[in-house]
Amino acid sequence: GSVGAGKKERAPRKMPSTRNATVRWTREEHTSFLKGLERLGTGQWASISKYYVPTRTPAQVASHHQKFAIRSNMPAAWRQKPSILDITTEPVQRLVASAPST
């Protein structure tokens, strides 16, 4: 018989899905996020995404806020390395400090 008869040919390996790829927030995106948060307040993720950070989805903006709020309420001594999340403004700090824990 022929060589390899009856064996299925293996499908080519798929590239990793871009849907799951993590792309870090840039300083510009974070600064725009802070402006949106300052002007629109927490919970307005769709509007912040649409008008301030159009490169991110509302879910990504909400997730970024959650990480930002956790880090903002963390003692500086616990932070092991600098992060984009360390950049903030006074009005946003008051907003995050007064918000209930997520």
Side-chain angles (χ1 to χ4, degrees):
S2 64
V3 177
K7 284 189 174 182
K8 285 188 175 180
E9 196 171 312
R10 193 183 328 189
R13 183 174 248 150
K14 288 183 180 177
M15 292 297 292
S17 172
T18 55
R19 179 174 176 228
N20 297 329
T22 301
V23 179
R24 291 192 180 275
W25 280 61
T26 64
R27 184 179 298 270
E28 291 76 23
E29 285 175 323
H30 182 68
T31 303
S32 296
F33 160 78
L34 293 175
K35 287 178 189 169
L37 192 58
E38 219 172 286
R39 296 192 178 119
L40 302 176
T42 59
Q44 302 301 311
W45 314 131
S47 295
I48 292 172
S49 169
K50 185 174 180 179
Y51 299 112
Y52 292 92
V53 197
T55 55
R56 300 291 176 164
T57 66
Q60 288 173 318
V61 172
S63 176
H64 186 70
H65 175 266
Q66 188 175 34
K67 292 174 192 168
F68 173 71
I70 290 167
R71 188 161 176 104
S72 295
N73 291 318
M74 182 186 296
W78 290 7
R79 299 177 196 163
Q80 295 191 356
K81 55 188 176 183
S83 167
I84 194 84
L85 300 173
D86 296 333
I87 301 168
T88 189
T89 64
E90 275 300 315
V92 169
Q93 267 316 110
R94 287 194 297 274
L95 187 67
V96 170
S98 66
S101 297
T102 50

